[in-house]
Amino acid sequence: IGCDRSKNLVDICGEKNFQAFVCDALSVPIRSGSCDACISIAVIHHFSTAERRLAAIRELARLLRPGGTALIYVWAMEQEYKNQKSKYLKEKYGSKDKEEEVSPGIAQRLLCDQVPDSSQGSACPDRLLDDSEDNGCAAKADSRLPVHTNRTSFHSQDMLVPWHLKSGTKKKGESVDEVSFPAGSKASQELSPVFHRYYHVFCEGELEAACRSLDCVRILKNYYDQGNWCVVLEKL
């Protein structure tokens, strides 16, 4: 059974005959101690405080039966580890990274979950960019959080990562994929908004330390995998 914050992603799972439902990772409506295993991939690094990240791990532990296991993956600050560059850095040129580019066929269905108004050229989470309520979505991300340059090393643990919508928009009676504009054209720029997603990238040992702070689990394995810090937990 899968769950996600995005209703549109859950709907896609339903179309593929997978079982999924909408929920918040900090409050999963499943009975405590009822799961043999839980998987959390690329989720916890989107929570903006250490307390919320720990709460997400605690919620995974709550779901597990005694002896059950959980696998957690989070993005690593260290994208070059033991003299080896991660796949994220290696694919800098000519890549189609899911974290930074989404095709219009699926993106049109997800935009309403990403931002309140998809007509804006740039989505700005006001709480992250500026404390002032007077600043709209034209605000620059220069006072609170840096905006990451895709396919480069991280220089901050807390940042906004650009999420690019490919050129194209859907008109009534036609497929999204039928609409295309030359890259760099005015029409392409106008119809290709850039959204910003919050990330907290984990330093070595940070995820492990958070897990060890819970007395209801023990760490079976802690490792680095292609730019991610990973932990396997067991419920005591």
Side-chain angles (χ1 to χ4, degrees):
I1 300 175
C3 57
D4 199 280
R5 183 76 174 185
S6 165
K7 179 183 180 298
N8 286 324
L9 281 175
V10 169
D11 288 344
I12 291 172
C13 291
E15 292 168 4
K16 297 178 180 295
N17 296 317
F18 296 129
Q19 297 186 67
F21 60 91
V22 177
C23 82
D24 190 312
L26 299 183
S27 181
V28 180
I30 294 179
R31 179 167 48 87
S32 299
S34 61
C35 297
D36 295 314
C38 294
I39 298 174
S40 175
I41 306 294
V43 173
I44 295 175
H45 56 218
H46 288 297
F47 287 109
S48 61
T49 67
E51 291 78 13
R52 290 169 68 82
R53 292 188 287 271
L54 180 59
I57 300 171
R58 185 182 292 111
E59 183 69 353
L60 284 175
R62 180 188 68 80
L63 299 174
L64 293 172
R65 63 166 176 78
T69 56
L71 172 65
I72 302 172
Y73 265 61
V74 295
W75 217 354
M77 179 81 171
E78 300 85 357
Q79 289 297 305
E80 187 167 346
Y81 187 68
K82 295 184 177 179
N83 297 321
Q84 293 288 326
K85 289 185 177 181
S86 69
K87 189 177 180 181
Y88 176 73
L89 293 183
K90 287 180 179 178
E91 293 185 356
K92 180 175 181 179
Y93 301 104
S95 66
K96 295 192 180 297
D97 180 16
K98 291 182 180 179
E99 290 289 341
E100 62 184 55
E101 186 172 22
V102 179
S103 63
I106 190 172
Q108 294 292 338
R109 304 176 61 181
L110 304 181
L111 283 179
C112 66
D113 284 339
Q114 297 288 334
V115 290
D117 182 2
S118 61
S119 65
Q120 296 290 342
S122 175
C124 79
D126 291 338
R127 288 173 298 174
L128 298 178
L129 298 180
D130 200 309
D131 284 332
S132 172
E133 294 181 358
D134 295 329
N135 289 331
C137 274
K140 299 291 185 179
D142 58 2
S143 60
R144 295 291 300 278
L145 290 176
V147 175
H148 176 62
T149 300
N150 284 311
R151 299 296 178 175
T152 66
S153 297
F154 299 125
H155 301 292
S156 173
Q157 280 194 269
D158 297 280
M159 63 192 165
L160 299 176
V161 176
W163 184 85
H164 297 272
L165 176 62
K166 287 182 180 179
S167 300
T169 186
K170 185 177 181 180
K171 295 181 180 179
K172 188 175 181 180
E174 71 179 349
S175 168
V176 174
D177 295 329
E178 293 173 355
V179 182
S180 61
F181 298 93
S185 68
K186 183 176 180 180
S188 173
Q189 293 173 3
E190 291 176 351
L191 294 170
S192 300
V194 177
F195 302 91
H196 294 111
R197 305 171 70 191
Y198 171 82
Y199 280 82
H200 171 86
V201 290
F202 282 67
C203 289
E204 182 173 8
E206 184 179 355
L207 177 61
E208 180 183 7
C211 294
R212 291 193 186 281
S213 71
L214 301 179
D215 58 10
C216 59
V217 298
R218 69 184 182 100
I219 296 177
L220 297 180
K221 191 176 183 181
N222 179 50
Y223 59 99
Y224 178 90
D225 180 27
Q226 285 295 337
N228 299 279
W229 287 113
C230 320
V231 164
V232 178
L233 301 175
E234 181 182 41
K235 180 71 170 288
L236 299 176

